[in-house]
């Protein structure tokens, strides 16, 4: 290995996803220097299709940070969602029940907005570094290393933030005790060039499995199907996807077809709940998917990532600027309380809406549960409050 290129910053951040980019931006606003190290190249990071729902509180965090312009211009506000089961449609009027709403705005756009803003502000984002490593988090001089074109780079920092997702180095360096649950199924997700047939998201519980109808714009639909975790994309040719969606969205015993269009993106993602406790060790702090994973049924992953860093950034700034340690020391405890409530909501939505094998008792209880939710203002409000955040 050739020479080491050394650099110094206050906070070294791994990962240029929503968590890492927003953390870097918030720190900049507090006058704190950071460097973001990202394994993949910029094009790849900005093309990665993921979340679509920004909850009320997360939208406020982005706006307050001065990065909500795109969201307010191009995001689609939604005031309700539909629950579909037993061939019937039921609306949960979220805004009437809570006075708050969600915004459909793709995670790619959040990442693009944050990246553009960081670069415009002279922020340091190192793309295409390959997987970076974290060192000496228990000492006073933690560092991050990575190798590009055979040259080894080292960033020495006061603190390291692991915002590098579920498969990054943050988790390994922290060595937390995982508390987790693996679900026996996955989501097949597609993006299609098709005008959505719906105005609000439809969450469907069907005896053949869960389906979700979402969107990205007036021209692009986002749809998901519950599939066995062992399924591969080859098992799902276009015709099978569309006809299965029509069956799962059935109304009054008749198949109900989403508008069809060219499928231009598809993926299969297993469902998983994970929390690594605590979220900090020495000078290392985790945020976003590095710290926790929720199944996507509650649409919470990106929102949690945004919330984590809105707590972590001022805590780091208070320590670095004023030597005030309390908020940083209590970061994990303060964050985990909310994380576990979101884990609970995401698990609850997942168990209520998915098919779990042939269990007839489970199936009957699910329908009773859904009837209770749509039939009671108190139950609907509980769902709506958790959903809008
Ligand atoms: P990210 O976005 O995964 O970013 C981590 C970044 O770290 C890089 N990286 C490394 N960099 C340097 N060194 C290393 N050793 C590295 N290892 C990895 C990676 O390349 C990457 O760029 O994590 P972050 O920032 O914590 O953000 C979390 C969100 O991405 C995630 O929670 C959401 O996408 C989850 N999610 C949803 N969240 C919502 O809030 N609303 C939704 O509607 C929603 N829908 C979803 C979802 C996730 C889904 N999938 C694919 C699991 C729907 C689906 C299907
Ligand atoms: C999405 O639009 O990608 C989406 C919406 C709601 C969810 C998950 C994903 O619960």
């Amino acid at each position: 290995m050739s020479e080491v290129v050394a650099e110094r910053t206050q906070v070294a951040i791994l990962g240029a996803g929503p968590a890492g980019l927003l953390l870097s931006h918030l720190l900049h606003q507090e006058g704190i220097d950071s460097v973001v190290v990202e394994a993949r190249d910029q094009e790849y990071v900005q093309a990665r299709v993921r979340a679509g729902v920004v909850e009320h509180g997360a939208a406020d965090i982005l706006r307050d940070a001065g990065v909500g312009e795109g969201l307010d211009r191009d995001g689609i506000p939604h005031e309700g969602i539909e629950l579909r089961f037993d061939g019937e449609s039921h609306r949960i009027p979220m805004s009437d029940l809570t006075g708050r709403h969600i915004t459909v705005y793709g995670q790619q756009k959040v990442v693009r907005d944050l990246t553009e803003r960081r670069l415009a502000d002279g922020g340091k984002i190192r793309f295409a570094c390959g997987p970076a490593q974290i060192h000496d988090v228990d000492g006073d001089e933690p560092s991050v290393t990575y190798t590009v074109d055979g040259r080894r780079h080292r960033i020495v920092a006061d603190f390291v933030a692991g915002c590098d997702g579920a498969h990054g180095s943050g988790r390994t360096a922290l060595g937390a005790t995982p508390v987790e649950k693996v679900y026996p199924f996955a989501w097949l997700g597609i993006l299609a060039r098709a005008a959505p047939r719906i105005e609000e998201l439809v969450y469907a519980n069907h005896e053949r499995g869960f389906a979700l109808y979402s969107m990205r714009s007036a021209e692009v639909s986002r749809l998901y199907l519950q599939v066995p975790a062992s399924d591969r994309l080859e098992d799902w040719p276009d015709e099978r996807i569309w006809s299965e969606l029509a069956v799962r969205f059935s109304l009054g015993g008749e198949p109900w077809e989403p508008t069809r269009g060219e499928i231009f993106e598809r993926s299969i993602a297993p469902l998983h709940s994970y929390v690594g406790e605590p979220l900090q060790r020495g000078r290392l702090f985790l945020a976003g998917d590095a710290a926790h994973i929720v199944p996507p049924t509650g649409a919470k992953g990106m929102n949690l990532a945004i919330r984590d860093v809105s707590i972590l950034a001022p805590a780091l700034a208070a320590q670095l600027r004023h030597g005030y340690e309390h908020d940083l020391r209590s970061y994990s405890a303060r964050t985990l309380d909310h994380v576990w409530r979101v884990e609970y909501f995401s698990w609850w939505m997942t168990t209520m809406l998915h098919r779990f094998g042939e269990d007839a008792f489970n199936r009957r209880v699910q329908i009773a549960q859904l009837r209770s939710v749509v039939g009671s203002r108190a139950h609907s409000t509980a769902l709506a409050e958790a959903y809008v955040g």
Side-chain angles (χ1 to χ4, degrees):
M1 188 75 53
S2 74
E3 88 240 52
V4 172
V5 185
E7 190 176 3
R8 179 149 195 120
T9 185
Q10 289 175 292
V11 183
I13 300 172
L14 268 72
L21 291 167
L22 182 61
L23 177 62
S24 176
H25 172 68
L26 293 172
L27 288 171
H28 171 71
Q29 291 187 317
E30 301 260 11
I32 304 295
D33 185 61
S34 68
V35 179
V36 179
V37 179
E38 165 59 48
R40 315 297 296 248
D41 64 45
Q42 186 173 356
E43 204 171 67
Y44 178 91
V45 172
Q46 286 187 16
R48 200 163 38 192
V49 176
R50 287 210 176 152
V53 172
V54 181
E55 64 181 29
H56 199 107
D60 282 346
I61 292 171
L62 294 173
R63 277 186 205 110
D64 290 348
V67 284
E69 206 179 296
L71 178 100
D72 286 331
R73 190 187 52 234
D74 301 332
I76 314 169
H78 281 225
E79 303 200 329
I81 56 168
E82 181 185 325
L83 295 179
R84 205 174 276 196
F85 57 94
D86 253 2
E88 297 168 12
S89 153
H90 300 268
R91 180 170 190 261
I92 306 285
M94 293 180 309
S95 296
D96 293 347
L97 294 169
T98 66
R100 294 156 80 87
H101 67 273
I102 55 150
T103 307
V104 171
Y105 190 62
Q107 178 169 328
Q108 288 148 290
K109 294 181 183 163
V110 173
V111 165
R112 181 202 59 201
D113 296 348
L114 287 166
T115 307
E116 283 175 2
R117 181 57 185 270
R118 273 322 283 130
L119 295 176
D121 287 344
K124 289 166 259 182
I125 311 176
R126 314 265 186 263
F127 286 104
C129 295
Q133 269 88 48
I134 301 171
H135 313 271
D136 304 327
V137 296
D138 295 323
D140 289 337
E141 284 220 323
S143 65
V144 167
T145 56
Y146 59 94
T147 304
V148 177
D149 295 334
R151 290 180 98 194
R152 196 164 156 79
H153 297 245
R154 177 181 295 276
I155 303 175
V156 179
D158 295 308
F159 295 102
V160 176
C163 302
D164 50 350
H167 309 288
S169 304
R171 275 191 190 181
T172 324
L174 192 92
T177 311
V179 184
E180 59 191 321
K181 177 172 183 64
V182 176
Y183 300 88
F185 40 75
W187 277 18
L188 164 66
I190 61 162
L191 280 174
R193 257 179 259 291
R197 189 180 167 183
I198 45 147
E199 287 183 355
E200 296 181 335
L201 271 59
V202 179
Y203 288 80
N205 170 310
H206 188 273
E207 59 191 358
R208 293 170 64 101
F210 170 75
L212 169 61
Y213 200 154
S214 180
M215 64 191 73
R216 285 295 177 272
S217 68
E219 297 86 36
V220 174
S221 300
R222 177 77 165 146
L223 292 132
Y224 296 98
L225 281 171
Q226 173 188 356
V227 301
S230 53
D231 273 16
R232 307 171 65 107
L233 287 173
E234 303 84 89
D235 299 323
W236 288 92
D238 292 14
E239 182 53 40
R240 184 177 177 206
I241 294 176
W242 291 116
S243 55
E244 188 65 23
L245 285 165
V247 170
R248 294 195 193 176
F249 288 126
S250 287
L251 276 181
E254 295 295 322
W256 186 94
E257 284 257 2
T259 324
R260 294 189 182 198
E262 181 212 344
I263 299 176
F264 62 94
E265 207 280 337
R266 65 187 82 211
S267 65
I268 292 185
L271 265 64
H272 189 189
S273 300
Y274 167 102
V275 182
E277 297 176 324
L279 309 182
Q280 63 194 85
R281 170 179 160 184
R283 290 176 172 265
L284 172 64
F285 297 82
L286 299 195
D289 278 11
H292 39 65
I293 296 289
V294 286
T297 328
K300 291 294 177 197
M302 173 172 62
N303 294 300
L304 265 187
I306 289 172
R307 190 176 184 281
D308 286 355
V309 300
S310 76
I311 295 175
L312 182 56
L316 284 166
Q319 156 75 319
L320 284 162
R321 290 174 55 185
H322 310 295
Y324 177 71
E325 285 186 359
H326 175 270
D327 287 358
L328 200 51
R329 280 189 195 280
S330 61
Y331 165 71
S332 181
R334 286 186 296 137
T335 307
L336 280 173
D337 178 60
H338 180 80
V339 165
W340 274 111
R341 277 184 284 148
V342 173
E343 287 286 353
Y344 163 61
F345 173 68
S346 305
W347 165 86
W348 178 73
M349 287 284 279
T350 302
T351 51
M352 181 167 70
L353 289 165
H354 290 73
R355 179 191 155 100
F356 287 78
E358 296 291 339
D359 187 338
F361 178 81
N362 193 58
R363 175 100 201 105
R364 297 286 211 292
V365 167
Q366 278 188 334
I367 299 300
Q369 201 180 6
L370 283 158
R371 292 218 173 278
S372 304
V373 168
V374 301
S376 141
R377 190 178 169 92
H379 278 208
S380 297
T381 306
L383 187 154
E385 278 180 357
Y387 194 86
V388 299

